[in-house]
Amino acid sequence: MFSEFEVVPAVDVQDGQVVQLVGGERGTGTEYGDPVEAAERWVEAGARTLHLVDLDGAFEGERVNADAIAAVVDAVDVPVQMGGGIRTAEDARTLLDAGVDRVILGTAAVENPDIVAEVSDDYPDGVLVSLDAKGGEVVVSGWTEGTGLDPAEAAERYADLGAAGILFTDVDVEGQLEGVRTDPVRRLVEATSIPVVASGGVATLDDVRALRGTGAAAVVVGTALYEGRFTLREAMDA
């Protein structure tokens, strides 16, 4: 999936605009303009992968910003991983057929783990399972509902079902620009045989280095890049 550690810019879309939320809470977002313009800017800056999320879809349970997401996929020539509102195998296959390289299954994978195998059978590298944690517990439905699942304990089950990797978001620090927590990421990396993509809390280049040191395959960065805490090139060089 990732031949070497990557810094992956986030393009999270709400009401057709790029938005970064704080702690995953609706109403806390800061807008950063048009998704296609943002995506093209990150690719021009050297991004080798983009991370797209339909935030409205994550909350509503169905894809709301499909047109905006499709426009980004059409506009860029780098791999794209996309999540938010993908609830069925048919939804996932439609996106993969349309040019998305990897779909991110969170709520759907927790409620119906077999969906991972259904999609992975046709697209062996096409599924990232999102294990997003709040208070050490996997949360779903736009990070609003607890599941009782421990991320590290759940990860290998999804590997056995064919997931190409795990996307782990530390919701407690997401969007706050106050730094990362490496212990949960390291624990997850050690618990599973498939790549782990870390997300949440990155504020400095040291945070990027720290997550690389956990053994994560990549890190998704949003607010820190949009707020100019560092450039994408600086993060990649770090």
Side-chain angles (χ1 to χ4, degrees):
M1 181 184 302
F2 299 100
S3 59
E4 58 184 352
F5 184 82
E6 283 192 29
V7 179
V8 181
V11 182
D12 297 350
V13 183
Q14 186 175 54
D15 295 327
Q17 296 292 302
V18 176
V19 171
Q20 290 291 301
L21 302 180
V22 178
E25 297 287 341
R26 263 183 162 174
T28 63
T30 300
E31 290 191 2
Y32 295 99
D34 180 73
V36 171
E37 292 178 2
E40 291 178 334
R41 182 167 73 250
W42 298 133
V43 172
E44 289 172 4
R48 298 195 296 272
T49 303
L50 289 178
H51 177 83
L52 305 185
V53 177
D54 183 337
L55 291 173
D56 297 299
F59 287 113
E60 303 298 337
E62 60 183 2
R63 296 173 57 224
V64 177
N65 292 285
D67 290 344
I69 296 294
V72 171
V73 173
D74 289 342
V76 300
D77 58 359
V78 299
V80 170
Q81 58 192 43
M82 186 263 162
I86 306 170
R87 295 294 192 264
T88 68
E90 182 179 357
D91 286 343
R93 292 190 187 101
T94 297
L95 287 163
L96 291 162
D97 287 339
V100 171
D101 294 87
R102 292 184 290 273
V103 292
I104 302 166
L105 301 179
T107 302
V110 171
E111 294 180 346
N112 175 26
D114 288 339
I115 191 177
V116 176
E118 289 179 47
V119 179
S120 298
D121 283 347
D122 295 326
Y123 301 89
D125 297 316
V127 176
L128 276 178
V129 171
S130 180
L131 296 176
D132 306 330
K134 193 172 187 178
E137 174 187 20
V138 173
V139 289
V140 296
S141 299
W143 302 337
T144 62
E145 298 179 12
T147 65
L149 292 174
D150 176 273
E153 292 177 2
E156 196 61 14
R157 179 183 186 187
Y158 292 109
D160 292 341
L161 288 167
I166 300 294
L167 171 68
F168 175 74
T169 300
D170 190 344
V171 179
D172 292 312
V173 297
E174 168 71 14
Q176 299 183 36
L177 291 176
E178 294 181 358
V180 300
R181 299 190 299 187
T182 56
D183 286 347
V185 180
R186 184 175 291 106
R187 182 167 176 259
L188 189 56
V189 169
E190 292 173 352
T192 184
S193 57
I194 55 178
V196 172
V197 179
S199 178
V202 173
T204 67
L205 295 175
D206 283 342
D207 290 331
V208 175
R209 296 185 187 100
L211 288 173
R212 181 176 184 176
T214 66
V219 57
V220 174
V221 184
T223 304
L225 287 175
Y226 287 101
E227 289 294 324
R229 295 294 183 96
F230 48 77
T231 67
L232 180 57
R233 176 53 57 188
E234 287 171 336
M236 293 168 66
D237 289 345

